Amino acid sequence: MPTSRSQDRSVSLTSTTSSSFLLSKIPNSTQSSSMFFGLGSQHPFTNYWTSQGGLPEVVGVLPSKDQADILAAKYFDAVDPVYPMIHKRNFYAEYERFWSLSLQEKQTADPSLLALHFIVYALGTQFIQTPSDQERTQIAEFYVSAAHQALRLSSYLSRTSVRAIQAMVLVCYFLMNDNHASDAWGFGGVLTRQAYAMGLNRDPDIVCPRCSLSERQQKRKVWQAVLFQDTFLTVLLKLPPTTTFSDVRVESLTDDLDEAAGAGLTANGGHETVINPMSIDNIAPMSDPHPPYELADRQYIRSMWHLANLVQRTLCTPRSLNRPLTNSPEDKKNLIKTYSEVHDKFPPTLRASDYDSVSSLANSNPRVLRQSMFFRSNYWHCVMIVQADVNDAEGVSCNVQGALEAARMALASFFDFWEFLRVDAGVWWVFQHRAFEEALLMARILSAQNEPLSPNQFAIPPSSDPLFMLAKMDVRKTLDILELVSSVAPEMQKTRTDVLRTAFEDITW
């Protein structure tokens, strides 16, 4: 997205001879400071805290239990389906134990537990409908500040835990939604280093063979969450990926369920020897320690994991070095084939894109619908990038038809999201920004066309091509939606819509 400091950015796009349609604005090192995409001009964590307040000060700003229940439920409704890395049963076990404590006991709790709770409240708040957008933003930002303060009190830069890593992953997503993508990128670098330091990038069967199956599976889920976030934020910011060193195999996250899960296990994979009367087993007895959607979640995690591995290798790494994605037309054809083969192996519910299937999921299984929306958006966005990439030196050109079709498929997921889960679509920055880039690419391609894809007679205008007209209508629809999206950053929203409107007006036919 253009910024006031566009003169400090490279005009190169995806590679040294990249397509002129793939506007990327890659940040370069300059003598003056600049922000990626101009996002996040202020420190993301407002300081409400005193030097001597400690954890009691953080505990003192907890919401009421009733409000906390609402926000936690909203988190597991809207966020957990897309990033299922927290064991819900274990989370609620610790959650109820914490709330059963006296004030004095709460003030000596594990700070990383408070951090996880507060970021859950912050994200839940982002998805709550309130009369005032500004009020909702202020409350959410207050909660994320409390989460960050709790992390500071846990010394998260020098010690870590699965809880702390989970909290940091969620802080990054909060920052993106709060118009702090640049800050999320920087914070994510610390997150990745801490995940490495904790050994989450290593195969649990090798480095901790004595851990229970549940603990090992939990570590795999958390590593996938770190990898997934890093990879697809990298796609949007065109910066180098950092989760590049791992021997954790996707297939190691099996469908085997540990019957002991939830029985004395804490959310960060440790064992608890004291039987607490406020245990979730006593509060809400369950015969099955796993939720009914656990196996479907694991399918989704493995699918996105496979996609992230492919995208990191074929898109993120070459783009971060300003290199072409492919070195010959045949190479490009084979890469598209690889993406298609990966796509065909994913569960049908994730791939479903026809209106009847999407509508059915919206009515019967909104959790899977959310997963499908994110899979479709990420997958087709990446295919669009491959189709539009250019390497003139090796005879690789933009596949106009392929790029437009992939962009339309990606935008279809955004339109479905807007129709069936409008509140969610209005919150997720990653979804909105992908839609913006897809519509912008289509507008730039369309404005460069002088004739249909397959003209059958001389001087036929581009408007006679059905694909061109459908793509043009999609650009217009995206612009209309982005103008309606309630934004915590009106200036960013205006810049984004102005850029897209200008590109749309450049389509002169």
Side-chain angles (χ1 to χ4, degrees):
M1 182 185 299
T3 73
S4 60
R5 301 200 59 83
S6 59
Q7 70 271 21
D8 291 337
R9 295 176 181 274
S10 170
V11 295
S12 182
L13 304 166
T14 308
S15 61
T16 51
T17 53
S18 174
S19 167
S20 59
F21 309 124
L22 284 171
L23 178 65
S24 296
K25 296 293 182 184
I26 305 170
N28 283 335
S29 297
T30 63
Q31 296 302 314
S32 58
S33 62
S34 62
M35 295 171 294
F36 314 136
F37 295 102
L39 300 179
S41 59
Q42 299 177 344
H43 193 273
F45 308 114
T46 304
N47 184 19
Y48 301 99
W49 319 103
T50 64
S51 59
Q52 302 299 321
L55 198 62
E57 196 171 45
V58 177
V59 170
V61 299
L62 281 165
S64 68
K65 176 60 161 57
D66 289 344
Q67 185 66 17
D69 289 346
I70 293 170
L71 296 177
K74 177 56 69 174
Y75 167 86
F76 280 100
D77 175 60
V79 181
D80 183 68
V82 185
Y83 306 109
M85 63 169 175
I86 295 178
H87 194 292
K88 182 178 180 180
R89 179 180 172 85
N90 289 349
F91 173 87
Y92 270 111
E94 292 194 323
Y95 174 86
E96 295 295 345
R97 288 170 190 146
F98 173 80
W99 280 101
S100 71
L101 299 175
S102 66
L103 177 60
Q104 184 176 6
E105 290 172 319
K106 286 187 177 78
Q107 293 174 349
T108 59
D110 180 358
S112 66
L113 176 67
L114 266 295
L116 185 57
H117 284 193
F118 268 109
I119 188 56
V120 164
Y121 303 152
L123 280 165
T125 301
Q126 288 188 324
F127 290 86
I128 292 288
Q129 290 183 287
T130 60
S132 169
D133 294 336
Q134 182 179 5
E135 179 184 9
R136 179 176 63 248
T137 298
Q138 290 175 343
I139 294 172
E141 289 178 347
F142 181 76
Y143 286 149
V144 80
S145 177
H148 182 252
Q149 178 67 358
L151 283 172
R152 289 182 65 245
L153 294 169
S154 73
S155 301
Y156 76 103
L157 292 177
S158 59
R159 53 186 297 187
T160 191
S161 64
V162 168
R163 262 198 216 115
I165 296 294
Q166 290 169 330
M168 293 173 72
V169 170
L170 297 179
V171 166
C172 285
Y173 284 119
F174 178 93
L175 293 177
M176 294 180 216
N177 293 345
D178 199 46
N179 192 43
H180 285 277
S182 297
D183 298 296
W185 168 261
F187 195 78
V190 177
L191 162 64
T192 303
R193 286 290 182 93
Q194 294 301 76
Y196 280 147
M198 192 176 175
L200 292 179
N201 64 311
R202 297 300 317 280
D203 184 349
D205 292 338
I206 296 174
V207 298
C208 52
R210 295 184 180 181
C211 290
S212 69
L213 175 59
S214 178
E215 290 174 291
R216 282 176 281 153
Q217 298 290 53
Q218 185 60 38
K219 289 177 182 292
R220 293 181 178 107
K221 287 183 179 181
V222 175
W223 172 249
Q224 186 273 348
V226 176
L227 170 74
F228 177 82
Q229 180 180 89
D230 173 64
T231 300
F232 290 102
L233 182 57
T234 295
V235 170
L236 291 178
L237 299 186
K238 290 80 179 176
L239 293 167
T242 50
T243 52
T244 50
F245 300 96
S246 174
D247 61 358
V248 187
R249 297 172 296 107
V250 179
E251 293 75 15
S252 65
L253 182 64
T254 66
D255 287 340
D256 294 334
L257 300 177
D258 186 350
E259 295 180 356
L265 285 176
T266 65
N268 67 346
H271 285 277
E272 184 167 329
T273 57
V274 178
I275 304 299
N276 193 306
M278 293 304 294
S279 166
I280 194 68
D281 295 294
N282 294 326
I283 297 168
M286 296 173 62
S287 58
D288 187 351
H290 295 281
Y293 49 75
E294 174 66 22
L295 293 183
D297 275 3
R298 293 192 186 187
Q299 282 189 317
Y300 169 71
I301 292 171
R302 288 192 296 265
S303 297
M304 298 305 287
W305 199 342
H306 277 299
L307 180 60
N309 284 340
L310 176 62
V311 169
Q312 192 174 101
R313 174 173 55 85
T314 62
L315 292 189
C316 299
T317 298
R319 292 212 319 167
S320 69
L321 297 172
N322 207 27
R323 293 174 178 171
L325 303 184
T326 56
N327 294 313
S328 69
E330 186 66 20
D331 190 19
K332 185 171 186 174
K333 180 180 178 181
N334 289 336
L335 183 56
I336 292 297
K337 181 180 178 182
T338 299
Y339 272 83
S340 298
E341 290 173 348
V342 169
H343 178 271
D344 292 343
K345 293 177 181 178
F346 294 156
T349 51
L350 291 184
R351 294 182 281 127
S353 58
D354 62 282
Y355 186 85
D356 288 342
S357 297
V358 174
S359 179
S360 176
L361 280 177
N363 293 324
S364 63
N365 199 334
R367 184 179 185 87
V368 172
L369 176 65
R370 287 180 169 90
Q371 295 174 348
S372 175
M373 296 296 99
F374 272 75
F375 165 73
R376 290 167 52 199
S377 175
N378 279 293
Y379 174 84
W380 289 111
H381 184 88
C382 293
V383 172
M384 173 197 76
I385 292 171
V386 175
Q387 294 281 25
D389 193 60
V390 168
N391 183 356
D392 288 330
E394 301 297 336
V396 181
S397 61
C398 170
N399 183 335
V400 171
Q401 180 176 346
L404 291 177
E405 289 176 344
R408 292 196 68 233
M409 289 294 289
L411 278 177
S413 65
F414 180 61
F415 298 154
D416 289 342
F417 211 23
W418 182 254
E419 178 172 353
F420 294 106
L421 294 167
R422 183 159 299 190
V423 173
D424 294 36
V427 173
W428 288 114
W429 177 84
V430 289
F431 225 110
Q432 296 168 23
H433 199 73
R434 277 195 297 268
F436 163 74
E437 290 200 347
E438 290 145 12
L440 182 61
L441 177 138
M442 289 203 300
R444 291 180 178 276
I445 288 179
L446 294 174
S447 66
Q449 304 308 307
N450 298 314
E451 60 182 16
L453 286 172
S454 302
N456 51 22
Q457 54 182 308
F458 184 72
I460 295 181
S463 56
S464 65
D465 190 295
L467 177 59
F468 287 174
M469 290 307 298
L470 289 171
K472 185 177 181 180
M473 288 189 290
D474 283 351
V475 176
R476 177 72 257 182
K477 185 174 181 179
T478 304
L479 181 58
D480 292 342
I481 293 175
L482 292 179
E483 288 179 328
L484 291 174
V485 168
S486 176
S487 176
V488 297
E491 290 185 4
M492 183 273 291
Q493 182 185 28
K494 182 179 185 301
T495 300
R496 189 160 54 187
T497 53
D498 284 350
V499 169
L500 186 54
R501 185 180 298 104
T502 299
F504 182 75
E505 292 171 353
D506 287 341
I507 306 173
T508 55
W509 41 266

